[in-house]
Structures are given as structure tokens and as C-alpha cells.
Amino acid sequence: GTIISRLTPCLQSFLRPNPIYIASEKGVRSKEEWWCDIKIDVATGPRDIYAAIDGAFDVQKVNVENSVAEQYGAISKLPPVLQIQVQRVQFDPTTKRSFKSTHHLGLKETIYLDRYMDSQQPQFLDRRQQCWQWKNSLRELEVRRAELLRQVVGCDRIVCCEPRHLILNLDSDGMDTAGLLNSAKEVLEDLAAMREEPDYAEDAIDFDTQIITEVDQLSQIAKLLELYVLASQDSASGTWALTETDVENQIQETQDKISAQFADYKYLAYRLYAVFVHHGSVSFGHYYIYIFDFERNVWRKYNDNYVTEVNNLDEIFKDEGQPNPPTPYFLVYVNDAMKDRLANPVCREIL
């Protein structure tokens, strides 16, 4: 029989073969890859769950036989239980060190996987391709915004500051101030996390954690300068004039189009069942889990010896803006039609 038929019923709930398509000058070919989870990340910034999953299936450039080809993925058959691994640990090539990304991942209690299915319907493929084009445009806009930020935050000082007009002295070799402040914030968060762990508390440095919030605020102020675009240069004085740009508006409009592209595809529903959480840094931390009880319609938090009902769902779903927040690193979604027989977090009948 096939490989899938020889798997145990438990493995069949998670493991599935899925097609990978490679388009080159020689045509389109496909291969199968087996996976038991979808790997996503939030390394470059906050995003919602759809944007994160898209990264596993969207078209990307690959090298095939010394030529550039396009590769994209799909799902041929959905598993009853969908596992999503959030790759929080990343490597910074600039600082040459690993770091934990604490960017917010916007979770949804229900997601629809229609958009990822292996469909050959022209209308469906056209939607995917249109979405990829928008994402290419979005990346170009974000690169432009990042370049503007690098130019702006390299300024020696602000000469004039008005709500709609900034004039700044620029240093052409200026450093990315927002990035430096963010790195400082991460170091401070690691130091603060040490104090919360019994194994490290004795060696932890005592400092006012309010500093973390203040450094984060300074970083956000630097990022606000992304809203302004270089307009002209006075070559005699070396002074630059910046006016408000439409780059941010273009980014938002493109993001809105991407979000709405598959809004009417809502047949393959999956419900969020479990959220594994890590609180700490790359080196250490604390783990706990949230599990949803479909029968009682309640979330519970399982933290060591304590099991509590979650009254404020913001702690699971919202970005509360705290320094070094607890972050989801593994998610479990279950097929909505099968959830009642798949998910049974509480054994209510004592045998």
C-alpha cells in the first residue's frame, strides 16, 4: 500500500505529503514533500497568522541546474490536526548572534485553508498569482521605506520639526538608530528575564525595568520617521528637506488587497485548539500552554501546577505592548467538523 496507509492512525492525523511545484524554462514539474507541521516565522516584524503561513507556500526564486526557477507549494490533502511551528530563534548576521524574535503573531480562533489547496482551477491560480504580484510590490515598498529610515535616522540633529515638514542635517554614513535601540532593548529584556528564573536570579543584574519601555519608545520614535520621504537637497548647506510621503499609505492599501484576496473562500475551517507559549530569551525561559475546551467554550492556562480559566483573551490574541512578552511558539488547529471527537482536553468521566 501507500506510505500513508502504512502509518499509524496517530501519525495520519498529522503527517501528509504535499506538492511542491517548480517552474523553469523547461516547464513545470512537481515533487512531494512530507511534513507534520507548517514552519513560519515573524523575524522581520509583526504579522497575522495568514501572512505567516503564506510564507510556507508563496512563490520564491530557487536555483535549479544553474538557472533561476520559481517554486511554490500547496496542500493536496489536509490533516485532521494542523500543527504550526513558530520559529522564534533567528540569527542576526550583523551582530553574529542568535536572538529570539518577540514580534507579535496575530492569531485567529478560526482560519480557512482553502487558499492553500492544490487546485488547478484557473480562477484560483489567478488569485494566487495576483497575490504574489502584490507581495512583490509590498516588498519593494518596504525596501524603500527602510532605505528612507536609514537615511533619516542617520541625522546629526533635527534643524526644524513641524508636523508636516522636517528639515534635518544628514550624515551619509549614519547608523540605523532604530535598529541599535531595538538591539539594546533585546539585551535588557534578556537581563530582566534572568531575574524571573530561579536558576539565574542570583547572578542577575538589578536595574529598573522601566528603562526597557523607554528604550522601546525611543526606537518607535525613530521608526516614525519612516513616514517622511526625502524630497530635495540644498547642496550648498547639506540640509535635506523631507515632506510626508504616500509610501505608508501604499503599503497599507497593498496589505488590505492581500488580506481581502481570499476573504470569500471559507469552506475549509480549522479551529485553534492549543497555543504553546515561551517567556524568556534564547538561552532560557519558561513554558506553558493554553488549551481551548470546545464543550465549555473556555480557554484554560496550564502553567506548571496551576490550571486557570482565561478571563481576558487579550493575553492570548492581542499585542499588549509589554517588553519581552510571552510569545506563541507552537500552535495546534483542528478540523472544525472533526473537533468534537479530536479534541478532549478534560476527562470528565472518571472510570
Side-chain angles (χ1 to χ4, degrees):
T2 64
I3 295 177
I4 193 71
S5 66
R6 295 198 298 269
L7 295 174
T8 65
C10 181
L11 283 176
Q12 289 183 42
S13 297
F14 306 96
L15 193 62
R16 282 291 186 272
N18 289 286
I20 301 294
Y21 291 96
I22 301 174
S24 65
E25 295 177 351
K26 298 180 180 179
V28 180
R29 62 185 178 90
S30 65
K31 61 178 180 178
E32 279 191 343
E33 288 190 356
W34 289 77
W35 51 263
C36 62
D37 59 30
I38 298 174
K39 292 177 173 56
I40 65 174
D41 71 68
V42 286
T44 58
R47 62 190 64 180
D48 71 12
I49 186 65
Y50 282 124
I53 297 176
D54 286 353
F57 298 99
D58 280 352
V59 68
Q60 58 182 311
K61 302 291 185 181
V62 295
N63 190 288
V64 178
E65 299 175 353
N66 298 320
S67 64
V68 178
E70 291 187 333
Q71 175 179 294
Y72 61 93
I75 300 176
S76 58
K77 187 176 181 181
L78 285 165
V81 179
L82 179 70
Q83 301 182 125
I84 300 174
Q85 181 185 153
V86 187
Q87 297 179 304
R88 289 284 180 181
V89 178
Q90 304 289 331
F91 181 76
D92 187 340
T94 303
T95 61
K96 307 297 182 184
R97 68 183 182 92
S98 296
F99 69 96
K100 177 190 173 184
S101 170
T102 58
H103 290 305
H104 179 66
L105 176 63
L107 304 180
K108 295 182 182 296
E109 292 191 83
T110 303
I111 59 174
Y112 301 92
L113 300 182
D114 309 60
R115 66 188 68 189
Y116 306 113
M117 299 308 295
D118 186 23
S119 172
Q120 298 304 312
Q121 296 179 2
Q123 182 183 11
F124 183 83
L125 292 175
D126 288 345
R127 287 203 188 197
R128 290 196 75 183
Q129 291 170 356
Q130 178 67 76
C131 212
W132 296 337
Q133 292 174 9
W134 288 334
K135 289 180 180 180
N136 284 335
S137 298
L138 183 61
R139 281 189 286 270
E140 292 173 0
L141 288 168
E142 289 172 340
V143 168
R144 181 183 174 192
R145 182 176 63 180
E147 179 59 31
L148 293 172
L149 176 61
R150 281 193 292 272
Q151 293 173 340
V152 172
V153 298
C155 301
D156 287 331
R157 65 189 180 90
I158 296 179
V159 178
C160 173
C161 182
E162 295 293 337
R164 299 185 61 82
H165 191 76
L166 293 180
I167 299 179
L168 310 126
N169 279 341
L170 291 185
D171 175 5
S172 60
D173 296 323
M175 301 180 70
D176 185 346
T177 305
L180 288 173
L181 289 168
N182 193 58
S183 295
K185 181 186 71 126
E186 291 175 355
V187 172
L188 291 170
E189 288 174 343
D190 287 349
L191 293 174
M194 288 181 65
R195 299 191 307 181
E196 300 176 11
E197 295 299 318
D199 294 338
Y200 301 95
E202 186 175 340
D203 299 321
I205 299 174
D206 187 24
F207 68 96
D208 185 358
T209 55
Q210 179 62 27
I211 295 174
I212 299 176
T213 302
E214 293 172 356
V215 172
D216 184 55
Q217 289 173 346
L218 289 173
S219 177
Q220 297 303 318
I221 290 171
K223 290 178 181 178
L224 286 176
L225 294 175
E226 298 173 17
L227 298 174
Y228 297 90
V229 62
L230 186 61
S232 63
Q233 180 184 20
D234 182 342
S235 58
S237 65
T239 300
W240 295 74
L242 288 93
T243 55
E244 206 166 4
T245 182
D246 63 349
V247 171
E248 197 70 28
N249 289 336
Q250 292 179 38
I251 288 175
Q252 187 60 57
E253 289 172 5
T254 307
Q255 290 174 334
D256 291 343
K257 288 192 291 187
I258 293 170
S259 297
Q261 183 72 334
F262 291 95
D264 55 333
Y265 280 68
K266 292 187 175 182
Y267 300 100
L268 303 175
Y270 273 68
R271 297 285 300 277
L272 184 59
Y273 173 60
V275 180
F276 294 75
V277 175
H278 174 260
H279 189 193
S281 69
V282 172
S283 306
F284 53 84
H286 180 65
Y287 296 89
Y288 55 91
I289 186 174
Y290 296 101
I291 299 178
F292 189 67
D293 186 338
F294 291 107
E295 183 176 329
R296 299 289 176 86
N297 194 36
V298 64
W299 281 96
R300 297 187 183 89
K301 180 179 180 180
Y302 297 78
N303 189 354
D304 290 341
N305 296 329
Y306 299 95
V307 178
T308 56
E309 289 191 2
V310 179
N311 296 317
N312 183 8
L313 296 185
D314 285 357
E315 69 176 87
I316 302 175
F317 295 98
K318 298 295 183 181
D319 181 2
E320 299 186 289
Q322 66 184 95
N324 192 30
T327 52
Y329 74 95
F330 199 84
L331 313 171
V332 178
Y333 280 87
V334 295
N335 185 294
D336 184 52
M338 305 170 66
K339 66 180 184 299
D340 292 331
R341 63 186 180 88
L342 287 175
N344 183 26
V346 179
C347 183
R348 296 185 172 85
E349 295 184 5
I350 301 176
L351 300 179

